[in-house]
């Protein structure tokens, strides 16, 4: 836990950015009955019936210092998908960075092995040499700042029925563009000293007598 908190507290390093990453599934839904349009003092009226159109995945990046985020919508959530996201992080989003510190959950797909299963050994090694993984502890995914960004995305963009993956991509792209234009940042205030007070019971007790 303190590893992440000290990482967040570091001064900004342009060539060693901190990038928070996580993935979330999204259920595509379509209306069976056409919604009734808005009228004067009457909001849009949506019928309770809907049709399930499948599930896709959103890969979300968030860089706290720049106030930058990017969301990539993929049909699946596999090791291959994760590997390609890490390659894009290195080659496209931060090509000039010497080392990218990636904060992520400790899932079975979020491993260096995923890159070796997707790319040639030399390419996988080249990508991993520029990545430094910092994993959230068990039951500590809330320490990943991108969780807050995903919550904002869900409230501002995804709290409605979206029928297909292309529409979802367009809607998220518009949301992302506006958030990046604003350089919206998360006001993270939880520090290592706060953790030592709040989670005192989890720290070892030293007997100095």
């Amino acid at each position: 836990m303190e590893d992440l908190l000290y990482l967040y507290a570091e001064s900004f390093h342009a060539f060693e950015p901190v990038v928070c990453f996580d993935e979330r599934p999204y259920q595509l839904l379509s209306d069976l009955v056409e919604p009734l349009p808005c009228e004067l003092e009457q909001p849009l009226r949506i019928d309770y019936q809907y049709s399930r159109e499948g599930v896709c995945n959103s890969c979300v990046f968030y860089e706290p210092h720049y106030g930058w985020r990017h969301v990539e919508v993929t049909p699946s959530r596999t090791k291959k998908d994760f590997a390609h996201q890490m390659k894009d992080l290195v080659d496209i989003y931060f090509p000039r960075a010497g080392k990218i510190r990636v904060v992520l959950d400790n899932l079975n797909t979020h491993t260096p092995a995923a890159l070796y299963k997707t790319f040639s050994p030399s390419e996988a090694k080249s990508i991993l040499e520029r990545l430094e993984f910092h994993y959230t502890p068990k039951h500590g995914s809330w320490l990943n700042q991108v969780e807050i960004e995903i919550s904002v995305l869900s409230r501002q963009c995804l709290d409605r029925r979206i029928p297909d993956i292309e529409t979802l991509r367009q809607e998220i792209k518009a949301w992302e563009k506006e958030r990046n234009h604003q350089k919206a940042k998360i006001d993270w205030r939880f520090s290592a000293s706060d953790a030592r007070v709040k989670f005192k019971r989890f720290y070892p007790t030293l007997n100095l007598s």
Side-chain angles (χ1 to χ4, degrees), residues 48-149:
Y48 71 93
Q49 296 184 82
Y50 58 84
S51 175
R52 298 180 185 273
E53 304 296 345
V55 178
C56 58
N57 182 55
S58 57
C59 302
V60 187
F61 294 99
Y62 171 68
E63 209 294 331
H65 296 287
Y66 287 112
W68 170 89
R69 74 275 301 137
H70 176 67
V71 185
E72 191 75 25
V73 179
T74 60
S76 57
R77 185 181 183 179
T78 64
K79 291 182 179 180
K80 183 177 180 180
D81 293 311
F82 171 74
H84 281 285
Q85 293 305 310
M86 293 300 103
K87 177 176 169 58
D88 287 348
L89 180 63
V90 166
D91 293 344
I92 299 175
Y93 311 138
F94 292 91
R96 299 178 62 188
K99 181 74 70 173
I100 304 171
R101 281 85 64 79
V102 186
V103 177
L104 69 173
D105 291 350
N106 200 352
L107 300 179
N108 63 344
T109 55
H110 295 172
T111 64
L115 281 86
Y116 280 96
K117 289 185 177 181
T118 306
F119 306 114
S120 67
S122 59
E123 185 174 11
K125 183 176 184 297
S126 176
I127 295 169
L128 289 169
E129 282 178 342
R130 294 181 55 204
L131 298 175
E132 181 180 284
F133 292 151
H134 293 258
Y135 292 101
T136 59
K138 187 177 181 180
H139 306 305
S141 60
W142 58 273
L143 288 162
N144 193 339
Q145 290 192 37
V146 79
E147 295 276 351
I148 300 173
E149 191 66 20

Side-chain angles (χ1 to χ4, degrees), residues 44 48 137 166 200:
L44 181 72
Y48 71 93
E166 287 307 319
K200 182 180 179 179

